[in-house]
Amino acid sequence: MSAPAMILPRQAVATSAAGPAPAQPFRLAAGGLVDRTATLDFTFDGRRYTGHPGDTLASALLANGVRLVGRSFKYHRPRGILSSGPEEPNALVELRSGARREPNTRATMAELFAGLEARSQNRWPSLRFDLMGVNQLVAPILAAGFYYKTFMWPAAFWETVYEPLIRRAAGLGRAAGEPDPDHYEKATLHCDVLVTGAGPAGLMAALAAARAGARVVLCEEDVRLGGRLLAERRTLDGLPAPDWLRGVEAELRAMPDCRILTRTTVFGAFDGACGAVERVSDHLATPPEFQPRQRLWRIVAGRQVLAAGSIERPLVFGGNDRPGIMLAGAVRSYLNRFGVAAGRRAVVFTNNDDAACTVADLAAAGVAVAALVDMRREVSPEIRRIAEAAGASLLTDAAVTRVRGRTALRGVEVTDGAGRRHALDCDLLAMSGGWSPSLHLASHHGGKAAWNEARATFLPPEQLPPGMAVAGAANGDLLLAECLAAGARAGAAAAQATGFRPAPPATPSVDGESTASAPFWWVRGGRGKAFVDFQNDVGVEDVALANREGFRSVEHLKRYTTLGMATDQGKTSNANGVALLAELSGRTIAGTGTTTFRPPYTPVAIGALAGHHRGKAFRPVRRTPTHDWAAEQGAVFVEAGPWLRAQYFPRPGESDWLETVTREARTVREAVGLCDVTTLGKIDIQGPDAATFLERVYINTWKALPVGRARYGVMLREDGMVMDDGTTARLAEDRFVMTTTTVNAVRVSQHLEFCHQWLWPELDVQMISVTEQWAQIAVAGPRSRAVLERVVDAPFDIGNDAFPHMACAALTVCGGIKARLFRLSFSGEMAYEIAVPARFGDALARRLMEAGAPFGITPYGTEALGVLRIEKGHVAGNELTGQTTAADLGLGRMMSRKKDFIGRAMAQRPGLTDPARPVLVGLRPVDRAARLRGGAHLLPRGAESTAAHDQGYLTSVAFSPALGHWIGLGLLVRGRERMGEIVRAHDPVRGGDLEVEVVPPVFVDPEGARLHV
Amino acid sequence: MRIACPFCGPRGSEEYTYLGDATVRRPEGDAPSEAWFAYVYLRDNPAGRHRELWYHGAGCRSWLVVERDMRSHDILSVAPARDMALARGRAA
Ligand SMILES: [Zn+2]
């Protein structure tokens, strides 16, 4: 029987003023789920074409007769479209242009939109005349393990020769090279039942669970619900599949607790949640306003049903990669869903009954079918009837042994069981090696897919991720009736397990079908290279070579040949590769096993994983209460831990930061300055046992500290190294406020909670961070008291007798604002720190500037703070490296011998009390004009500049305004015994080497007299 | 991974900070150095059930003792560390 020709004749249809785009010569006259009332323009490699809403780029290209869409990865062989789904290994294209250019997009998944720009990849200079195609001629040296064998030596060749060569020759697409202009967002969903896949099994699962009242999330990576039903001419409950699907979708959408996410791929089953990516705007030229390009979902489900369907396997025969050779199911998909004939004269090549549907569907659409080539010796009468009705000759016990055509298929040669050869003209070869379950997510918790001999396929592992059930084709059920029933059962069971009472689900009746299959994988003796993995250009001989060279574990095979790697992760190649290796190595497939499937199921854009956390929003910015004031003062800001702090305040006429910082530091020593120190961690510690608690976390003693006094404290880690330091003030008998360094604020807080909750739960003490509740400003310098007297409310006396160094008090400032005043000094000058509720911080800074104006007050930033503390030999982050002990830092005498505290025992270890440890010293250049560099290594004079002679390094350096030359702090082996010795500060990175003198670390006012005035 | 905080309910693991083994006990101050060395450095890595300390820093600031199967990441129990520490003290 020959069906009437239904393919549109070629005709020129003008679709825009810019010139005529060609018609769609392979679009069928009717049928499919595309909207023929609208036409979309798009370009491929600069040529203009048209398609319809509902098309994918792949279906639109096929409708236009475009067969050649890319070049293969290694040999640059011409490649066409193989599939119609996410498994596509060949048709990878670049979409869009400029900053939105996106490489390696599967044409089978890209929805067509007006103005879509697509380009082929991996060809130079053009797709049709690709010079790299000569790689085919040197194919023998590009065999398995080529990278490992060829690019081994010399190492220096890697960067200069090999890498650029490989990148040029074997790259996939090009990244945009510009920041992505679109937004991505992240969100979380909670539900009772997650259903992955909206094919027949998934829809029935969702229906069964939702009808029982469960909160259901149904994820479908396609834009439409239906799965394979969209691609087949099937009847359910007497309705054509599209009509049946409309009814199911309407029911699901009407249920308030059923959420349907289309264009959403569940890419990973993780511990406690699944990851999914929703392509919100990928089907549009640009995202609508306020919409992200993609949305990353974390889905927390009580139970989940994996109904991801299955993927058809190619057959392995010589030349099986020619454009025009496609999967038989994909051919049906293009016919029935998109109304596109993938060719004009077809041959169908199979080892199973399912491909006979392709024969029937092609014939029904008016495409000539030259032959049905079946590898099996016997086929059923039904298959014979289908072939006969299609006018196709049936060749059994036969295989394609030769392929004609280079950039497009022109014909095949078939050899039958009797050795007879049949030459057949065709431009389309539909092949089917059977279907493999999409069980990837079922293996994401480490369960290994298991080979099922009866079904000749890998099935999901017994050990599934917790709460997961697999249903339908993903579980190896290939018959529609099985899929529907299994889906309904799985959905009901999931609802039951999450506390609902599902009714026994009814399943629709369907028309007859057969999916019988025989395990034939590979055609021996054919002409040309037979590919197993199209994307990685891995052929039969590569697997054979790997086997000969001993790479017989599937995991080794994968790494050695790259089979199953790259963006498609072997979706179409895995089963064939394993079967081939099993046969070559004389093992069973079950004994050979399969590689482990890991997330993600399909590639996920880094942008989706990053979400909004990029650029300025990479992490939250914390600003101090005086930030705006500091900005008005012209401050330059620096990141300090999570905070932005004022680094220095340049003034007009100052030539560089050093001049500014020197002026700020000198002003503090000579007059007065103010500095926001809010970022230091503040922890409020209360309770009858508060002092006891501090005794245990600090190395020094606290019980005797009077109320109204503060003390410097050092805390260790349990291993004996210094963890943090700061001053802690006693506000009341049972109340302290601790300060920590800026960067350790969170860590110390967590540590204190650990000590209390886990080590000493019997202590009656509570603590909470109040860092953000209080703005704190240091006022330092000989005129600091004069400034504060204008701010502190009367009658509070801040004179030296009433309020000496290390005093603290609660009082009011600026006419009734509650405040805490501490007489603390990091600079070595008479100094105060004043804390007010955070909302008054800005006002306080302004008031202090006003009050200090007559005394020449200056704001100073973290740089001047650093200079002042280095002059005083105070340690800071550069010295608290996690590798220094209290003794190393000259604080060993603070360690109480009368009590236990965190780190005490381990601090006594021989290694930590070794007198040869590097300890804190001061260093100054012998040539006073020389500049010191932080990080320079300290070496003995006359010693060779090698690591063996390394005796320490400069931890902190500064230009000292007080001394008029550079000074430094450093850690030096036996430093305290070496005062006056000259050593070298060797700086191999910046090329410096100068002599420095070892001096005590306190450069300014070693007696501390300036503190007590 | 999700951990059911006894105070806050089930939350993603990114809200928590992991510390480690909850089966080691801090020695008394005068314990021999070997005991301290074991406490600070020596850890078992059982293939199976293990008790660990987690801190709910982005939640209620509780330290929790989480019993977890190291092979499957199944969480078998979660309890406030302070309650367990107090019970341990009573038992001692
Ligand atoms: Zn909590």
Side-chain angles (χ1 to χ4, degrees), chain B residues 5 7-8 56 59-60:
Chain B
C5 173
F7 305 106
C8 309
H56 197 191
C60 60

Side-chain angles (χ1 to χ4, degrees), chain A residues 72-95:
Chain A
S72 72
F73 180 68
K74 203 157 76 178
Y75 302 126
H76 290 247
R77 286 169 70 102
R79 291 282 164 84
I81 294 160
L82 178 74
S83 74
S84 60
E87 68 272 30
E88 178 61 36
N90 285 342
L92 304 181
V93 297
E94 278 177 11
L95 293 188

Side-chain angles (χ1 to χ4, degrees), chain A residues 651 663 667-668 670-673 783 787 849 851-859:
Chain A
R651 285 189 175 166
R663 191 250 311 147
T667 307
V668 172
E670 292 170 3
V672 59
R783 310 307 298 273
V787 176
M849 283 297 281
F855 309 100
I857 195 167
T858 183

Side-chain angles (χ1 to χ4, degrees), chain A residues 80-425:
Chain A
I81 294 160
L82 178 74
S83 74
S84 60
E87 68 272 30
E88 178 61 36
N90 285 342
L92 304 181
V93 297
E94 278 177 11
L95 293 188
R96 301 179 171 85
S97 56
R100 287 195 171 86
R101 188 173 72 201
E102 184 185 0
N104 304 333
T105 306
R106 291 155 296 169
T108 52
M109 297 301 285
E111 291 176 53
L112 196 67
F113 56 81
L116 175 67
E117 295 170 68
R119 272 171 307 279
S120 58
Q121 301 183 159
N122 206 25
R123 81 291 194 265
W124 186 79
S126 80
L127 183 55
R128 198 159 286 277
F129 304 100
D130 177 32
L131 290 179
M132 294 293 183
V134 297
N135 280 4
Q136 291 179 68
L137 306 178
V138 293
I141 66 157
L142 293 176
F146 159 69
Y147 294 99
Y148 305 113
K149 289 169 182 163
T150 310
F151 298 126
M152 281 186 55
W153 186 90
F157 267 37
W158 256 110
E159 277 178 37
T160 53
V161 180
Y162 295 150
E163 195 179 313
L165 185 78
I166 292 172
R167 281 184 189 283
R168 178 69 178 264
L172 287 172
R174 304 165 299 160
E178 288 173 55
D180 189 333
D182 295 331
H183 294 281
Y184 298 80
E185 67 181 27
K186 300 189 200 183
T188 303
L189 269 178
H190 295 264
C191 62
D192 298 309
V193 180
L194 165 66
V195 179
T196 300
L203 287 172
M204 288 308 292
L207 270 182
R211 281 174 181 164
R215 288 176 305 158
V216 173
V217 170
L218 172 62
C219 291
E220 169 54 53
E221 70 178 346
D222 206 325
V223 59
R224 281 174 186 273
L225 306 188
R228 276 306 295 177
L229 285 177
L230 298 168
E232 309 285 2
R233 295 184 302 150
R234 300 302 302 263
T235 307
L236 297 93
D237 278 345
L239 295 171
D243 296 343
W244 183 81
L245 286 172
R246 260 190 291 280
V248 172
E249 181 167 355
E251 182 179 349
L252 289 173
R253 292 209 184 270
M255 284 191 276
D257 278 343
C258 178
R259 179 159 191 167
I260 299 174
L261 295 172
T262 54
R263 300 186 174 112
T264 301
T265 304
V266 179
F267 62 80
F270 303 98
D271 290 322
C274 284
V277 66
E278 181 182 6
R279 291 173 293 279
V280 180
S281 307
D282 278 10
H283 62 295
L284 304 168
T286 55
E289 203 176 9
F290 308 121
Q291 285 296 313
R293 173 80 179 271
Q294 296 183 349
R295 185 178 289 129
L296 184 79
W297 287 104
R298 173 194 298 210
I299 304 176
V300 180
R303 285 288 184 278
Q304 57 170 318
V305 178
L306 177 65
S310 57
I311 291 171
E312 199 167 19
R313 292 187 292 270
L315 289 166
V316 180
F317 57 95
N320 62 345
D321 65 328
R322 284 286 169 247
I325 302 180
M326 296 174 71
L327 294 170
V331 170
R332 297 204 292 282
S333 181
Y334 291 115
L335 284 173
N336 298 323
R337 175 172 177 179
F338 300 101
V340 171
R344 295 186 194 281
R345 186 177 164 83
V347 169
V348 178
F349 180 24
T350 185
N351 65 357
N352 62 69
D353 285 3
D354 184 58
C357 297
T358 306
V359 175
D361 290 4
L362 282 166
V367 179
V369 183
L372 171 59
V373 180
D374 203 311
M375 297 176 84
R376 298 171 292 181
R377 203 178 295 275
E378 301 293 335
V379 298
S380 69
E382 176 64 11
I383 302 289
R384 292 186 177 281
R385 198 195 58 72
I386 291 172
E388 199 170 306
S393 42
L394 176 65
L395 302 170
T396 55
D397 194 15
V400 173
T401 46
R402 187 174 180 181
V403 165
R404 288 190 292 119
R406 202 178 69 84
T407 57
L409 182 70
R410 287 191 292 117
V412 295
E413 187 180 84
V414 176
T415 305
D416 66 20
R420 281 188 300 270
R421 292 184 181 175
H422 309 258
L424 302 167
D425 287 338

